[in-house]
Amino acid sequence: MKRTYNDTMFIDTFEHEYTWLNGFMRNVSRFSSDRAILDPETKRSWTYKNLNEEANKLANALKKSGVSKNDIVMSAMRNSPEFVFSYIGPRKIGAILLAANFNLASGEMALLINHNKPKIILYTANIAEIIVDAMKICAWKPEKLIMADNIEGVPLPEGHIAYDDFIRNQSAENPVQKIRPHIYDEVLRLCTSGTTALPKSVPINDINEVLSAHDVIMHYPMSHSDVTLNMTPWFHRGGCHSGGVGPTFYAGASVIIMRRFMPHAALKYVSEYGITFMMGAPANLEMLARAQEKENYDISNLHGIVTMGAPLTKTDCIRFMKVLTPNIFNGYGTTETFWNSFLRPCDLPEGAGSVGRSCTDDDVRIIKIKEGKRYEPDELVPKDSTTQGEIIIRSPGKTTYSYFKDDKTEKAKFYKGWMYTGDAGTWNENGVVTVCGRKDDMIVVSGENIYPTQIEEAINEFSKVKDSIVTHVHDDIRGQAVVAYVEAQDKSLTIRELADFCSKSPMLSKYKRPRYFAIIDKLPRTVTGKKRHSEVLKRAEDDLKSGLLKKD
């Protein structure tokens, strides 16, 4: 289409230069001597100049190992300096970082590796055993397995390489990239739970990275003077983008590393290191509030705490605003689309329980809902705070509307520029959305999405089990706790045997294992034989109170 002006230079510059990496490099120049990372556990810190040099060493080591454009570098790492280096280094040579959940069991990890075929796997030493076990059953064999962040002194597995040895003697200069980057290039691949043991792989392109960073900078707001601490793992979309490494380094701010969440340590870091923003799931805020009520740390530096994963109750919100900071933020969204509605401090505590209105560049709607039918994006339910429908999201700047090698799910989830979330909700005349539950029975434990069918499949592998049905009950700390109702094949089956079997299953991460069990005569089913998840969900809380549900 002919423009009214010569658009050639604009298109060329915008499409090739408006990248996250160029934003980071501007900060390397502008804030060269400013702190970019602080690792309290090892007492190390990196300026922006140092950080760029470390990322360059990794990039040059990867390049020397044959990694090039669109190759996959997998990072199965807890929050650590090496995670940060891996976030930046691969994109300097056009490679794609697959940020894997380090909490996966070995069988799940093997499925993820086989699906994505990474050329290099970087992992933190605390999961060495998981990686070794995964490789035993993996069809795909990466060219190198590199163990990083070995603060525990874990023995290096045979055939693996220590991170320091991998980057030793590598140049700290920016690598020469022969292929010109493009804003539509995939630079990051995230994982989100699916209905099977294989996590869905979500491509994130470069412009998604930039506009996700802009969203955070705009909504907090965030500037180069801020100091962030994420209480959840960075491999999440909310972890790397909700004040994590993505927006923080794009803004020129500073990151404090926390490998595992420790509420008292987190509160101490606020005053010691000048933390201005903390991010975490509601469960993190609950533990943080308990610690603060007990010790009353000086946390006056805080500008705010941002939470995602679940709406806050009004009671909890009032408590957090009193005990922690009056500036509580609550975002709602998905791995595929980042956050898409947002509650600011001015919306709380009155707006608690809802997920607020859509973000500045996004649209969130409630459309009609019916099993087996997909309604059009304009077939809306009334804005009456009562009529339930499916929540759909349009987020043109922060999603690729795709999954890696999963056309079936892609077609089911993405339609006409909208993502069909599977969440059920209502909205009011002002467009404020309230989430009512899951259309597809998904469970959320400490911010992690869990599908009952995967857990049922794992439990049903036990020879003493005929079948199972999984649901959840409320949990004060984790938000929800997994519950398994089991129909026995062998009448000698015990709760202890079930718990032991689940704890050893290579297909059940620790957070997916049932916390409560009940052995029942017959599972509830429809006339066509489908399991009635809604029925066990309705009875689970009563069964817990009556003692029918037993702890593992």
Side-chain angles (χ1 to χ4, degrees), residues 215 218-219 330-334 337-344 346-347 351 354-366 383 391-396 398 418-419 421 426-435:
D215 219 317
M218 173 171 54
H219 280 86
N330 193 189
Y332 163 79
T334 68
T337 59
F338 187 34
W339 64 33
N340 312 105
S341 68
F342 204 71
L343 288 163
R344 295 173 173 84
C346 61
D347 301 312
S354 77
V355 295
R357 299 180 184 86
S358 57
C359 293
T360 304
D361 294 329
D362 298 357
D363 293 289
V364 180
R365 292 180 178 177
I366 312 291
K383 293 183 174 181
I391 301 173
I392 63 171
I393 293 165
R394 180 165 60 191
S395 182
K398 296 177 291 188
W418 295 83
M419 179 182 178
T421 66
T426 63
W427 58 348
N428 67 16
E429 68 278 7
N430 297 316
V432 175
V433 173
T434 299
V435 179

Side-chain angles (χ1 to χ4, degrees), residues 13 19 74 96-97 126 129 131 145 209 247 250 276 345 401 436 504 509-510 531-532:
T13 305
T19 65
M74 177 172 160
I96 300 164
L97 175 68
N126 60 307
E129 187 177 339
I131 295 296
L145 293 158
E209 287 270 83
Y250 197 82
T276 56
Y401 294 102
C436 301
K504 296 172 183 175
S509 309
K510 188 174 181 179
K531 297 177 188 177
R532 297 178 62 89

Side-chain angles (χ1 to χ4, degrees), residues 272-286:
E272 288 182 24
Y273 305 123
I275 291 168
T276 56
F277 283 106
M278 303 175 81
M279 289 69 64
N284 298 119
L285 271 65
E286 170 61 31

Side-chain angles (χ1 to χ4, degrees), residues 26-89:
R26 286 193 292 272
N27 292 331
V28 171
S29 175
R30 287 185 289 216
F31 310 120
S32 179
S33 60
D34 289 1
R35 185 183 70 196
I37 313 173
L38 175 66
D39 182 9
E41 208 162 337
T42 64
K43 308 299 182 189
R44 295 178 296 168
S45 66
W46 291 259
T47 63
Y48 267 86
K49 179 178 183 292
N50 300 148
L51 172 55
N52 186 51
E53 290 172 342
E54 290 297 330
N56 286 341
K57 290 177 185 177
L58 175 58
N60 285 314
L62 293 170
K63 187 176 181 181
K64 187 177 179 181
S65 298
V67 177
S68 59
K69 181 73 173 177
N70 291 335
D71 283 336
I72 303 297
V73 175
M74 177 172 160
S75 165
M77 292 204 230
R78 61 193 173 190
N79 298 1
S80 60
E82 289 85 352
F83 180 97
V84 179
F85 307 152
S86 74
Y87 192 83
I88 302 169

Side-chain angles (χ1 to χ4, degrees), residues 367-404:
I367 63 168
K368 294 177 181 178
I369 188 169
K370 184 178 180 181
E371 187 176 353
K373 177 178 173 61
R374 176 165 64 191
Y375 281 93
E376 293 294 318
D378 59 356
E379 294 185 274
L380 310 178
V381 303
K383 293 183 174 181
D384 57 8
S385 301
T386 301
T387 308
Q388 288 192 23
E390 182 174 4
I391 301 173
I392 63 171
I393 293 165
R394 180 165 60 191
S395 182
K398 296 177 291 188
T399 181
T400 59
Y401 294 102
S402 65
Y403 297 109
F404 176 68

Side-chain angles (χ1 to χ4, degrees), residues 519-546:
I519 299 173
I520 58 178
D521 293 333
K522 198 169 186 179
L523 301 186
R525 297 180 181 275
T526 65
V527 290
T528 58
K530 292 182 180 179
K531 297 177 188 177
R532 297 178 62 89
H533 287 89
S534 59
E535 184 173 318
V536 291
L537 177 59
K538 288 178 182 177
R539 63 179 277 188
E541 293 289 351
D542 288 338
D543 288 345
L544 181 61
K545 292 174 184 175
S546 70

Side-chain angles (χ1 to χ4, degrees), residues 132-144:
V132 169
D133 289 345
M135 293 315 303
K136 290 176 182 176
I137 56 178
C138 247
W140 175 260
K141 303 300 180 187
E143 295 185 11
K144 286 184 173 64

